[in-house]
Amino acid sequence: MSKQELVVVEATGGGNACRPGLLTAPLDEEQAVDLARVFKALGDPVRLRLLSMIASKAGGEVCVCDLTPAFDLSQPTISHHLKLLRQAGLIDCERRGTWVYYWLLPETTDRLADILTRPAGTPPPGRGERAGAGA
């Protein structure tokens, strides 16, 4: 498993510029590799549940001791899944004594949302142009 972390997909033109979405421009190879790494991390039900538990926790962070009992998995397996989410840039953590606390990195989930969101008022491509449409 690679120890590379997510390289953030950025738009040109500054901090508040609109980020390119899948429907506005094709991804280049580097963007596709970076996004695939994040989607691969999200492509497991355990990791999706962990991310959801972390993201929805009041106070913004959760101790690993509160995550482990929710699964019928060993603590090392949970730690492995958390490591993959960290490597994908979806969460971060901090050790406090014997426990590790995790929190969501909203910058990454916001970027995913931007990439997957169709610009407002733009019909999906091919709508009404398919064979048999309206028939």
Side-chain angles (χ1 to χ4, degrees):
M1 177 59 56
S2 170
K3 293 188 178 194
Q4 276 187 325
E5 293 199 17
L6 170 71
V7 176
V8 177
V9 178
E10 295 182 33
T12 57
N16 292 335
C18 294
R19 293 180 186 98
L22 290 176
L23 299 180
T24 58
L27 297 173
D28 65 30
E29 185 175 348
E30 183 179 345
Q31 291 170 322
V33 168
D34 293 335
L35 282 172
R37 188 175 299 118
V38 177
F39 286 124
K40 184 174 181 181
L42 292 173
D44 182 274
V46 171
R47 290 193 288 272
L48 278 174
R49 286 187 60 210
L50 284 166
L51 185 67
S52 175
M53 291 171 72
I54 294 166
S56 64
K57 185 69 173 178
E61 63 183 29
V62 62
C63 178
V64 69
C65 63
D66 295 324
L67 296 171
T68 306
F71 299 90
D72 190 22
L73 298 168
S74 68
Q75 183 276 325
T77 300
I78 297 296
S79 292
H80 173 73
H81 285 296
L82 291 165
K83 176 184 171 185
L84 294 177
L85 290 171
R86 256 189 19 256
Q87 288 176 338
L90 292 160
I91 61 173
D92 204 355
C93 66
E94 175 182 82
R95 178 172 293 283
R96 298 179 195 157
T98 58
W99 298 113
V100 179
Y101 289 79
Y102 292 87
W103 58 88
L104 179 73
L105 293 176
E107 307 84 32
T108 303
T109 54
D110 290 350
R111 283 185 192 94
L112 289 176
D114 286 348
I115 288 167
L116 295 173
T117 300
R118 179 173 44 86
T122 305
R127 189 63 67 144
E129 298 172 9
R130 287 183 241 148

